[in-house]
Amino acid sequence: ALPISWNVPSLVIMVALTPEFVLLCEHAVSEGFDALPLSARAILLSPEGPTSIGRQHQRGFFEQVLPEAGSKKQLVQCVSRDHFQLVPLQSSGSAFERRWEVSSRSSNPIVLSSGKQLSQGEGSSMKVGETIEFIATEDDSTRDVLRFLRFRLHCLNPPFQLKLGGSAILEELLPEKRTLDGTADGLTVGRAHQLGLHEKGLAEDTIGFISRE
């Protein structure tokens, strides 16, 4: 049997709490990113109005996750001063089912979980658990695209969590990276959904036992 266990703690119903939402940076093309604490990778979102994302709004944040000395092509310069905006949409369902409007405000496009690319002035919607990626042209001659930052929309008090444990877990995997947040729609686990977690967090000889979904 595979020496990995997914332990589901008791379901906590947080009726009296106001859900808090964050954009959590879960990937950056930069040395030392994996050592950053959770607090250095999270952007708190307003549940009532727009939140603008960019270097002028989160001063020092992008320079920390993309330090010029440890990233390719000084990628922090590919993050605009005003890159995109998130606005919560009204919903008759629970906070976990609420959708958010995403509006691109930069000449540097962003890509959503659906694969939809948003150029400047374009918009779409997303929900908790989905991602926004920053992209840049990696090679001007080939026009290859580099996805250098990935953020996931999280609710800080999700309806349930899965905690990764077992003897196959690498010791260097930080505690906060061993927890997966559930949503009102449930949670799908696999290499295709938690990009990088299984490759970086599990012993190499166990990866083959983890399906894409």
Side-chain angles (χ1 to χ4, degrees):
L2 182 66
I4 301 174
S5 62
W6 292 88
N7 302 314
V8 182
S10 299
L11 181 65
V12 180
I13 302 175
M14 294 168 285
V15 177
L17 297 179
T18 300
E20 293 184 311
F21 299 90
V22 298
L23 273 182
L24 181 64
C25 185
E26 61 180 25
H27 168 73
V29 179
S30 173
E31 297 176 6
F33 172 77
D34 290 339
L36 289 176
L38 192 65
S39 59
R41 298 186 286 113
I43 298 173
L44 186 65
L45 303 177
S46 169
E48 305 298 335
T51 301
S52 296
I53 307 297
R55 286 188 290 114
Q56 77 176 22
H57 304 292
Q58 291 78 37
R59 294 186 180 275
F61 176 88
F62 292 97
E63 288 79 4
Q64 185 171 19
V65 297
L66 286 171
E68 293 186 3
S71 63
K72 301 172 62 176
K73 195 184 173 182
Q74 296 187 348
L75 288 172
V76 70
Q77 300 302 323
C78 297
V79 179
S80 297
R81 291 172 55 80
D82 187 20
H83 209 101
F84 65 90
Q85 186 179 79
L86 276 170
V87 181
L89 301 176
Q90 294 297 322
S91 172
S92 57
S94 71
F96 309 105
E97 299 172 299
R98 171 183 281 183
R99 298 196 69 85
W100 294 67
E101 181 181 20
V102 188
S103 302
S104 176
R105 307 171 78 158
S106 170
S107 58
N108 297 320
I110 54 176
V111 178
L112 305 184
S113 294
S114 62
K116 184 175 183 179
Q117 180 172 307
L118 300 182
S119 299
Q120 190 171 22
E122 296 180 332
S124 187
S125 67
M126 66 182 298
K127 61 183 179 180
V128 170
E130 295 184 334
T131 61
I132 298 175
E133 291 184 291
F134 287 65
I135 63 175
T137 301
E138 185 173 18
D139 188 320
D140 292 334
S141 61
T142 63
R143 307 300 295 175
D144 289 339
V145 171
L146 174 66
R147 301 189 177 202
F148 66 94
L149 275 179
R150 181 174 65 249
F151 286 85
R152 190 175 299 274
L153 179 57
H154 277 273
C155 182
L156 291 184
N157 37 17
F160 69 93
Q161 293 180 315
L162 291 178
K163 292 187 180 294
L164 182 64
S167 58
I169 307 303
L170 299 180
E171 292 183 1
E172 56 265 32
L173 185 65
L174 297 176
E176 62 263 24
K177 294 188 177 182
R178 302 185 185 199
T179 302
L180 300 178
D181 293 339
T183 72
D185 297 325
L187 174 65
T188 302
V189 177
R191 287 184 289 111
H193 300 277
Q194 290 79 38
L195 298 174
L197 169 63
H198 304 289
E199 286 80 1
K200 294 181 179 180
L202 302 182
E204 186 176 355
D205 58 355
T206 65
I207 302 300
F209 294 95
I210 308 296
S211 299
R212 288 179 54 80
E213 185 170 311

